[in-house]
Structures are given as structure tokens and as C-alpha cells.
Amino acid sequence: MQNLIYYPNIEIQNERWLKFGLLYLNQLHQIAPVSSDVNNSRIYKILSDQTDLLDHYRPENFNHKSRAVDKAMIIIERYLNNPDYYSDLLKVGNIRSFWENENTHTYFIYEEKFNPYFCQFLLSRNIATQSRKGILVNQHLGAIYMTILADEVGHEYGYSPITDDPNLYNIADYLLQRTAPVSNTVKKFKNATSKIILKIPRDIDKISIEEFIRVRNSTNFKKYQKAFHDSLSNFNSQIENGNENIEFVNSYKNAYLDFSSHISLLSLNCLNFTMGTSILLNSPSYTNSDFFQKVLVQGGICTLGAAISLKKIYNDTKTQRLTRRYLTEINNLK
């Protein structure tokens, strides 16, 4: 949670989610071309001026865009050729008809985020509308491309993707099996989601954004936030590597207890919510161990996903860590 890249939009529209970010995130990178700056909101400008939360990633790297475009075109073509097969993934009817309908072309992608081939590809298949400074596409289609672009940027710079949309989180897990850089080695992983419980003020909507900024900028806040982040990273690494020592679970809980005391500066009356992290387990047999089943699953810390085969070598710990994806959904708090 120290260096994250947000997708699919440039700005986070949900103020509740922004307040979460001020408390729990170190830095949030947003894929924002220079031409989008004129549309920055008042809150966005306040956060940029008064905190270190937000950072622009300018999509000027041609290689990032080219790799994202190449992968997106393969996936989009696959969807168009098998619209009924993939309808469940996107929770729509016929994908081709849905994407071709100009009335659904409401998602704007700035031209700086793709190369000319992508525009030609989409227009030739009648699934995009040309617009000034970019293209308009169906929201599902735009989200797929931005998921892939965020993944490419994340792997290059060490950013883990984060979204507040559970549908995109599920799509991203599926795209782990996409057209990754091919090697002759295929390694099998088990996909799991670690779930951690976080606190947020019950009256979050009544507390001003300025109060959250005040707490973030308070003495020692970033020190304890970093300790929490380091402990969480170690927590996920231990699960990925199949550790069966309860100490790493307890260590994480203690670090979070220390950090969560700062949340009380905003309100003593807090609610719990869950943040999910998609991780890949090195040893598929780990999921059969008593520790995994009794401590992690029954303790509500992990849920198990499907097995995944990736045409990619993950011997490098850093590379595997970058496959982590974060979902934080706090819209349903009551």
C-alpha cells in the first residue's frame, strides 16, 4: 500500500474513498496526461497542494502504451469473436452489440494513453467514437484497457494497482492469465485473496476532508503508517511463501493496532471494513495445510481462488510482489 496506481479513472470521484486514502495510503499515482489538468476538481487541487497523497504519472512512455495496446487488442478481439462466452465475466448480454451501441460510448480515453493503432483498431470495429483529444468507448471496454495499462505501468515502476470497483478487480484477476511476456517456463500458482479488517470513522461523511488532511499531516502519522505498510507487505509475503508460523500474523496485528490509534483522532466511534489483496501462492499445497485452513481461512484472513498457470518466471520476489492487486470497497458502510 506504499506505492499504488489507481485505475480506471484519473480522479477518484468518491469523497469517502479519498478520505480512506488519506488515512491508509502512502502515495497514489494517477494516470493523468497534461491535457487533463484543466479538469482537476477543487478537492483534487486541495489534496495536491496540502498533502503528499497524489502523484501524476504522465503516460508519455511509448513502450508502456504499445505493450498495453498489443495486449488489449488481443483480448478485445477474443471477446468480439466469442461474445456469448465472455458475457458472464462482464455481466452484460452480447458484448459485441453492447460495445457497438454508440449510446454506451461514454467513457473517454485521452489520446496520450494509447497509440494511433489502438484508435484505428477500435474505429474499424465500430466500438469507439472519435472525439477531440481522444476516443469515447463503452465503459466496460475503457475499464479493460485501463486495467491493462495500469498493470504495465505498475510492473515498470513498482506500483501495485488499486481500484474501488469490484468488477474491475475480478477482471484484473482474469487478465493475469492474459498474454503475458512469454517464456518457456510455465509456473503454476494458486490464487488467493487476503482480507484485512481496517477501521474508518462511522461518521466519515460528516467529517470534512480538511480534518482528514490534518490527521495525515500530524506528528508521527507517516512513521506509524509506514510501519503498518511494512508489516502488511511482510504479512502478504509470508502467505505467498507458505509460512506456517503464527508470529507473522500477530506481528501484523500489533503494527495495525499501533497505527489505528491515529484513526481515533478523527472519531472514537469507528466501523470495520475489509480490504482485499489478490496474491499468488508459490506452493499450491499450502492451501491444504492445517495452518492455511484453520488460521487463515477460518480466521477470515484468506479466501481461495482458482489455480493459475502463468507464462512468466516469478523467481524474482519483487516481480511476484507486483502481481498484488488491492480492492477497497467502502461504499456500503452503514
Side-chain angles (χ1 to χ4, degrees), residues 24 197-199 228 252-261:
Y24 285 102
I197 304 300
L198 303 176
K199 293 182 181 295
F228 164 63
Y252 161 74
K253 290 180 178 179
N254 290 334
Y256 177 65
L257 187 63
D258 289 339
F259 173 63
S260 63
S261 64

Side-chain angles (χ1 to χ4, degrees), residues 3 14 16 46 77 98 100 125 141 144 149 165 171 176 194 205-206 224 233 259 268 271 310:
N3 284 293
N14 189 317
R16 180 183 284 186
I46 290 174
E77 194 69 47
F98 192 48
E100 288 177 347
R125 286 156 179 78
L141 178 54
I144 288 173
L149 181 59
D165 187 332
I171 289 173
L176 281 174
S194 72
D205 296 325
K206 296 180 181 179
Y224 283 101
S233 179
F259 173 63
L268 293 175
L271 289 170
L310 294 181

